[in-house]
Amino acid sequence: MPQITLIEAVTQALAHEMKNDPSVVVLGEDVGVNGGVFRATVGLQEKFGAERVIDTPLDELTIAGLTVGLAAQGMKPVAEAQFEGFIYPMMEHIACHAARLRTRTRGRMSCPAVFRAPWGGGIRAPEHHSEANEHLFTNIPGLRVVLPSSPGRAYGLLLAAIRDPDPVIFLEPKRIYRQYKEEVTDDGEALPLDVCFVLRDGSDVTLVTWGAQVKETLEAADALAGEGISAEVIDVATLKPLDFDTIHESVRKTGRCVIVHEAPRTAGFGAEIAARLAEHAMYDLVAPVERVTGYDTHIPLYRLEMKYLPSVERIVAAVKRTLAAS
């Protein structure tokens, strides 16, 4: 079985769906001739033609409008924003039309579209190229928000997103695009949306995270194990709808929870998870919920960038605070 990177898994999933479903089209800036700024769509235009892999103008508002129009008329467009920081102009059509089309037409129409974007920091890029703003989309009714953390989950979740009858925001952690490989079978088998993945069992603390931060969280769990602390690690994967039952079941077992994300702290999605734990798991907790996050600033330039992102050391320190509190 071949080993591939996360970015190759994205390409593989797109190619599989385009081969098997003629209604799937890809559009965005430089996605055709150049194969995308990160080469996520490399080779697709040669294989499927310029009518299905469409190079657009440098105009995110137009890309989003085309995507909604295509989806409303029975196509399955997959639109790319070159970086997630470029997605703000697309919000007009995502929030006002894509997310509302099913409700607005009382179910007569839907918007089976995927909006892809390279997400997060860690590649020594300017701030508009390093955004982590997934929480903006989780607050919009009518959207699914998906954030894979490995090649296998990128492949399976992107297949599921393309096949979903409603709009999906699919954010790809570009820091780990090529960081490691794993075996992925190109069999067209989708992974389920709307579920968390328990990556590691534990009994002392629950670590909840998503995207690129899964790597540091698993490394923190390894470090804690060396000190006799057993950490359960959960990859949220689909932020909205949130599979809170899996998180609650874990916290019921461990009594402690640390949430890790690189988005700014205030009103980040970790705050939503913490609020639900306060509502539904208060008597299961033996210590306050901790959050390890980015800071309430724009992500800095590269010399300070890694100090902004959650680190293994910060995660381990947060876990130890929960143990000391109880």
Side-chain angles (χ1 to χ4, degrees):
M1 187 185 303
Q3 290 198 336
I4 60 174
T5 61
L6 194 152
I7 193 69
E8 290 169 331
V10 169
T11 311
Q12 191 165 273
L14 290 170
H16 185 280
E17 289 304 279
M18 295 190 77
K19 178 181 177 182
N20 290 280
D21 186 344
S23 68
V24 177
V25 296
V26 170
L27 66 155
E29 298 164 4
D30 297 326
V31 298
V33 174
N34 289 341
V37 67
F38 290 101
R39 303 300 181 261
T41 54
V42 68
L44 295 183
Q45 192 175 79
E46 291 89 337
K47 191 175 296 184
F48 300 104
E51 290 187 353
R52 293 186 64 199
V53 183
I54 305 163
D55 278 321
T56 67
L58 303 181
D59 183 354
E60 286 79 11
L61 182 66
T62 295
I63 295 169
L66 284 170
T67 300
V68 174
L70 287 165
Q73 297 304 311
M75 302 297 286
K76 295 180 181 177
V78 181
E80 178 184 297
Q82 276 195 341
F83 293 88
E84 204 211 1
F86 298 175
I87 211 166
Y88 297 113
M90 302 173 86
M91 293 289 283
E92 163 79 18
H93 289 296
I94 291 173
C96 296
H97 304 297
R100 298 170 188 261
L101 193 58
R102 182 180 291 277
T103 298
R104 182 177 291 152
T105 63
R106 297 299 184 261
R108 186 173 58 86
M109 300 173 70
S110 63
C111 188
V114 177
F115 296 88
R116 292 181 43 249
W119 167 95
I123 65 164
R124 296 189 164 202
E127 83 285 350
H128 253 326
H129 301 68
S130 303
E131 301 272 333
N133 56 19
E134 63 274 14
H135 51 290
L136 299 182
F137 299 101
T138 59
N139 197 239
I140 299 174
L143 296 180
R144 271 188 168 81
V145 182
V146 179
L147 229 164
S149 64
S150 73
R153 285 188 286 283
Y155 176 80
L157 291 171
L158 183 53
L159 290 177
I162 295 171
R163 296 169 189 174
D164 194 87
D166 291 297
V168 178
I169 306 297
F170 195 87
L171 305 175
E172 301 161 8
K174 58 184 177 289
R175 178 161 62 93
I176 58 171
Y177 261 162
R178 295 177 173 86
Q179 199 166 75
Y180 65 95
K181 295 183 177 183
E182 67 180 19
E183 293 182 349
V184 179
T185 304
D186 188 13
D187 56 4
E189 184 173 341
L191 287 173
L193 297 171
D194 311 344
V195 300
C196 295
F197 298 93
V198 179
L199 304 184
R200 180 182 180 128
D201 291 327
S203 57
D204 294 324
V205 62
T206 299
L207 304 180
V208 179
T209 189
W210 51 90
Q213 248 51 57
V214 168
K215 178 180 180 292
E216 281 77 17
T217 304
L218 286 169
E219 290 174 359
D222 286 338
L224 291 163
E227 300 182 39
I229 301 168
S230 175
E232 184 147 299
V233 178
I234 295 176
D235 176 8
V236 175
T238 301
L239 278 69
K240 186 180 180 186
L242 175 66
D243 173 19
F244 180 71
D245 288 345
T246 295
I247 297 171
H248 191 185
E249 181 180 348
S250 177
V251 170
R252 197 179 283 126
K253 175 175 62 173
T254 66
R256 303 173 186 87
C257 184
V258 176
I259 304 163
V260 183
H261 64 73
E262 69 178 78
R265 184 178 185 84
T266 299
F269 194 67
E272 172 63 24
I273 297 173
R276 293 199 195 188
L277 288 170
E279 290 172 350
H280 303 291
M282 180 66 75
Y283 295 108
D284 299 311
L285 290 164
V286 297
V289 173
E290 286 272 351
R291 287 180 291 159
V292 181
T293 70
Y295 298 97
D296 287 342
T297 67
H298 297 293
I299 189 167
L301 295 175
Y302 69 89
R303 281 195 291 182
L304 295 175
E305 185 177 27
M306 299 314 291
K307 294 184 181 298
Y308 176 94
L309 301 175
S311 64
V312 172
E313 293 74 20
R314 288 173 62 193
I315 298 167
V316 168
V319 168
K320 290 182 176 179
R321 287 195 296 271
T322 69
L323 292 166
S326 56

